[in-house]
Amino acid sequence: MRHNRKAWLVLPLVCFMTAGWGVPIARAEEEKTISWQDARDHVGEDVAVVGRVVRANRTGSGTVFLNFAQDYRGTLSVHIPVQAAARFSAPPQDFYRGKMIRVRGKIVLFKNDPSLTLTDPGNIAVLPDDTPLPGHVAATTSPAEEPWLDTEDERRLNIRPSEYLPTIAAAHVADFIDQEVIVVGRIVKGFRMPTGHVALDFDQPQDKPLKLFIRAGYVDNFPEPPHTLYRDKLVRLRGSPYEFDGRPNISVSGPGQITILSDDVSPPTAPRIPVDLRPTMTAVPGEEITIASFNVENLFDSHDDPYRTDDAADAKPRDAMKSVADKIRKLDADVLALVEVENRGILDAFCKAFLPDMGYEAVLFEGNDRRGIDVALLSRLPVGPVTSHRHLRFEEGAGRLTRFRRDLLQVRIEPPGGTPFDVFVVHFKSKGGQEEGGADTRRAEAAQVRSVLDQMLERDPYTHFVVCGDFNDTIDSEPLKTLIGTGPLALHDFIKDLPSDERISYNKEPYLSMIDFILASPAMAERYLPRSYRIPQGSSETLGSDHNPVIAKFKTNQVGGRQQAEKRKD
């Protein structure tokens, strides 16, 4: 026993004294060593990870996190529990920050991001600063075939800009006025104006060279004066060209828009168009229109919004986004109501990257949700007036005033040759895992929606509309009964058409339930195609969401209702 104990005590010393990766040679030869960037490809494996710690912090509970990227979401995190942190001779968040390290452990997924838990100080070693990442070549080697496509930070995004933005040489910028693009070219001249603004001139186009314009208030955003930092440099620039004083210009507000490239990089010889975008809102319906509703579960981008508490919601994993897009393709809806979309930017990027040929126009207003989840709509039929009801104030029990937790989005759809109709998109307050959680709020939201609808129906009993979304309650609940109403102006549901095995829209155990619906006004219900109401079943794994979509079909033109009334007048 005493002999074994001595051998165990020697082991940590050997780890730090040996060359190479900082662990015993035998262990290094047996173990797979990977770059931190490749961690997601090795989930479930015991590996040694190499990388530089650029972000390190200790939480209020004492847990320490080491990260290899400032925007750490979607990338590997090293997790040191509070009990393990006490075993280190120095605070690990201070000691390892900025250092190249090699850390051993098993890669697992936590909230869809790769994670490694470190409990033994002997499983982490500091490496020389110039240690290369495994599997990656040094920066002095020949450039890749298209090195201007993505920056290192962009490669970590769930949707990369090069997937949906044209990449062009500066010589072609005149053909892309008022379009967001990625421009590659050489800056040959730069100067600061008496007003403090900075202008940088490219060498192309030859007759009217592209000018990069930086306002005086943005100059201090750069680590060095931009007119000297970028002069005589080949750069990659993201922005929207516009014409000013007879020349193409691009405005820049910070260094995040510009990347300096190696001098041996060649700009693209022709514009690189990543997707063939179908023009939006150009569909001409046949005899029927397909309407669908889909809660896509946290369609968040990879950027932190400082004005929202979205840091608790990770960027949606790319594979989940692909699953959502695949389902939307199968739905093939002319009009699609969406729930839980972070912002217009991610929705536009999602459509361009995954659904470029669907011809969808995105509609989204910033709503009231503190986390940033909004309701939205995609339409390939022409969109008319759009109204947000996010500022409405109404009572929520005991005289308390409230607003819609997200929004009540109202979008007029104007199908060519067809009868226009409105689509209302809702996302009521959730139950939060409790049987009657948020009930007062849902009742108030439902009553206010009904009030908005009643005003329309009072003006015109034959008005055409549908109400779609995530109601977070069942069809027999008080909020839904309030919303649907009674009598001749009651909304219509089509649940009777659902097979018994399709009556689930929230697909996560143990809360399997039907809480997503498409409801129709009396006139719109007359256009409903019998037996077209469906809730295709799936799971989070197959759909990329914890909700199943809802779909229904309606005739393009109105039938009965007003037509019959007008005939009686004749």
Side-chain angles (χ1 to χ4, degrees), residues 29-157:
E29 291 174 349
E30 295 168 1
E31 223 167 32
K32 182 182 295 183
T33 300
I34 66 170
S35 164
W36 67 271
Q37 297 168 324
D38 302 323
R40 188 176 290 275
D41 297 330
H42 298 275
V43 172
E45 298 179 24
D46 286 300
V47 295
V49 179
V50 175
R52 185 180 301 280
V53 177
V54 299
R55 188 178 187 276
N57 69 85
R58 185 185 181 102
T59 67
S61 63
T63 300
V64 173
F65 290 93
L66 308 179
N67 297 102
F68 304 92
Q70 287 292 349
D71 188 359
Y72 59 90
R73 292 172 298 178
T75 68
L76 176 67
S77 293
V78 176
H79 160 240
I80 306 175
V82 58
Q83 299 90 343
R87 301 183 189 130
F88 287 77
S89 58
Q93 70 274 17
D94 298 327
F95 184 77
Y96 294 108
R97 185 184 292 114
K99 294 184 172 66
M100 284 292 293
I101 65 167
R102 178 182 187 273
V103 57
R104 297 177 57 249
K106 187 172 186 176
I107 306 293
V108 299
L109 283 182
F110 178 72
K111 292 186 177 181
N112 287 316
D113 288 342
S115 177
L116 184 154
T117 297
L118 175 65
T119 59
D120 184 355
N123 285 335
I124 183 171
V126 176
L127 305 176
D129 265 349
D130 58 354
T131 301
L133 294 176
H136 289 256
V137 296
T140 55
T141 59
S142 299
E145 185 178 351
E146 296 180 328
W148 27 257
L149 271 189
D150 301 297
T151 66
E152 183 175 344
D153 286 339
E154 288 171 348
R155 283 192 288 271
R156 293 195 288 269
L157 302 178

Side-chain angles (χ1 to χ4, degrees), residues 366-384:
E366 194 77 19
N368 297 322
D369 187 80
R370 288 190 294 271
R371 193 161 63 88
I373 52 174
D374 296 320
V375 294
L377 182 134
L378 298 178
S379 178
R380 57 190 180 202
L381 299 175
V383 172

Side-chain angles (χ1 to χ4, degrees), residues 248-267:
N249 281 244
I250 294 181
S251 293
V252 172
S253 59
Q257 285 182 250
I258 314 175
T259 302
I260 297 176
L261 302 176
S262 171
D263 278 339
D264 56 359
V265 170
S266 297

Side-chain angles (χ1 to χ4, degrees), residues 5 12 59 87-88 90 191 200 210 219 253 262 264 269 341 348 389 405 470 473 523 536 539 549 564 566:
R5 185 179 302 153
T59 67
R87 301 183 189 130
F88 287 77
F191 59 93
L200 306 174
L210 171 65
V219 171
S253 59
S262 171
D264 56 359
T269 56
V341 180
D348 280 340
H389 296 82
R405 282 301 187 267
D470 177 1
D473 226 329
S539 64
Q564 294 177 4
E566 290 175 350

Side-chain angles (χ1 to χ4, degrees), residues 412-428:
R412 171 63 60 88
I413 304 298
E414 300 176 337
T419 304
F421 59 94
D422 287 281
V423 179
F424 291 88
V425 190
V426 306
H427 185 193
F428 288 171

